Every structure is written in C-alpha cells, then in structure tokens.
Amino acid sequence: MSNIFIGWGGNEKLAQKLEKKFKDNGHNIVMGGGAPNQMFVGNQIIEQMKSCDKAILLVENYKGSGFSTNLMYEWGYLVGYRRMKRIHAFLIDKPKSDLPSDLDGVWAEELTRKKIGADDEEKSDDDLAEEVYNLFVNNLNKELPVNYFKIIDDWQYISRDLESDKDCYNRVLL
C-alpha cells in the first residue's frame, strides 16, 4: 500500500478530518507539519514528503491573502520530486485560473464549501473530507492531458526520470 502525504495551508482541521477518513479506510497517511522533531520544521516536512509516493494538497484562501506560501513551496517541491500524476490538489473555493502558470496541467479539482441549493450554508469539514476522499479514490488513475511535443522536446529529462522512478508509470502500483 502506498503512503499518502496531506499538505494543507491554513485548514488544519479539514486536513485532520481527511487524515482520519483515510486511516479509517486502511490507508497510510503522513500529514504535513506536526510538532517539530528537528530544529527546522521545513526539513521535517521535506522528509515527510519524501516518505510518500502520492500527495493530496488542500488549497484554500490563507488568512485572506490567497495561497499559503508554505503550501505553495510544498507543491513546488512535490512537482520536482514526484510526477504530477501523483499529486492531487483540491482547490477549495478557488478556480484553477488562480493557479500560477507554472502549475498548468496539474491534477486539480475545484470544490466549494457552499452547499448546493443553499446560499448561506457551508459544508462541514466532515462533509468536505468525505468529498475529497471519494474524489481522490475514484480518480487515482485519472490521466493528465499529454503534450506530446513537450515530451519530444524533453526526451532526455523524461528518459532519466523513467530510469529513476520506474514505479511512477506502473499502473499496478497505483
């Protein structure tokens, strides 16, 4: 079974609910952050990300200023360390068009906290965690759009990547 990293920015309560949901269903979860066990929490989070082969990122407004800079750093690190197919971002009340252009083509799902048909009612963290869990499980093998010209242009990088992360392209392990 794979290890799944949960990254969050300002919505720790939702991340904890999601962690519980995954653990209750037999998944191995590493939730980003926690009590520092090293001098710098950044090193701890990097080790947490390295220990996982899939990642879930809960992307929400952070303190009214847009995206959490820490979460964006983690996202960038994961994109460099893992294949995009293994990183699942859930944009909560954020459109994909708000993402930086460097993240174009990533696996991202738009969610809303608003209940359908209710103008002022919001989903509970439990309801949102259930929605994220179901979308993640149902879309594990979702294919990202492929730009074949980019593959041809980046053939040396891709060849090296295939050698170093062979399981990334093995559907049996997903």
Side-chain angles (χ1 to χ4, degrees):
M1 181 167 284
S2 62
N3 292 324
I4 304 167
F5 174 82
I6 297 177
W8 50 276
N11 48 12
E12 185 176 11
K13 206 172 184 186
L14 173 59
Q16 290 170 340
K17 299 280 185 181
L18 186 59
E19 176 187 33
K20 182 178 178 348
K21 177 73 179 164
F22 272 96
K23 285 184 175 179
D24 288 350
N25 285 284
H27 296 275
N28 299 322
I29 296 296
V30 175
M31 193 164 102
N37 61 13
Q38 299 178 10
M39 185 162 201
F40 300 104
V41 74
N43 293 340
Q44 177 177 321
I45 292 172
I46 287 172
E47 290 305 315
Q48 290 172 335
M49 289 186 289
K50 284 182 174 180
S51 73
C52 297
D53 51 353
K54 293 182 182 69
I56 294 173
L57 301 172
L58 301 173
V59 183
E60 243 180 309
N61 267 338
Y62 181 68
K63 297 181 180 179
S65 65
F67 297 116
S68 159
T69 54
N70 289 343
L71 183 62
M72 294 308 293
Y73 173 81
E74 292 167 17
W75 196 345
Y77 184 88
L78 286 164
V79 166
Y81 190 72
R82 290 278 171 226
R83 301 308 329 136
M84 282 193 198
K85 180 178 181 174
R86 294 186 174 225
I87 304 164
H88 300 253
F90 294 91
L91 307 174
I92 303 165
D93 292 328
K94 302 286 281 176
K96 289 180 189 177
S97 60
D98 281 358
L99 291 177
S101 61
D102 291 349
L103 295 173
D104 188 31
V106 298
W107 193 101
E109 186 75 36
E110 293 178 3
L111 302 176
T112 181
R113 282 196 172 271
K114 299 247 185 261
K115 284 189 176 180
I116 295 174
D119 291 334
D120 56 349
E121 261 190 90
E122 288 193 350
K123 297 173 189 168
S124 69
D125 285 332
D126 285 321
D127 292 339
L128 203 52
E130 178 79 23
E131 189 174 352
V132 168
Y133 175 83
N134 289 332
L135 284 166
F136 179 81
V137 170
N138 292 331
N139 290 306
L140 271 178
N141 294 319
K142 181 179 179 179
E143 295 295 326
L144 290 169
V146 177
N147 181 338
Y148 293 103
F149 291 110
K150 183 161 176 39
I151 291 172
I152 292 167
D153 193 42
D154 293 341
W155 70 270
Q156 289 176 317
Y157 168 77
I158 292 168
S159 174
R160 185 183 68 235
D161 184 51
L162 285 169
E163 275 302 308
S164 66
D165 194 13
K166 291 177 183 165
D167 71 310
C168 180
Y169 299 96
N170 185 346
R171 289 191 168 280
V172 175
L173 297 175
L174 295 175

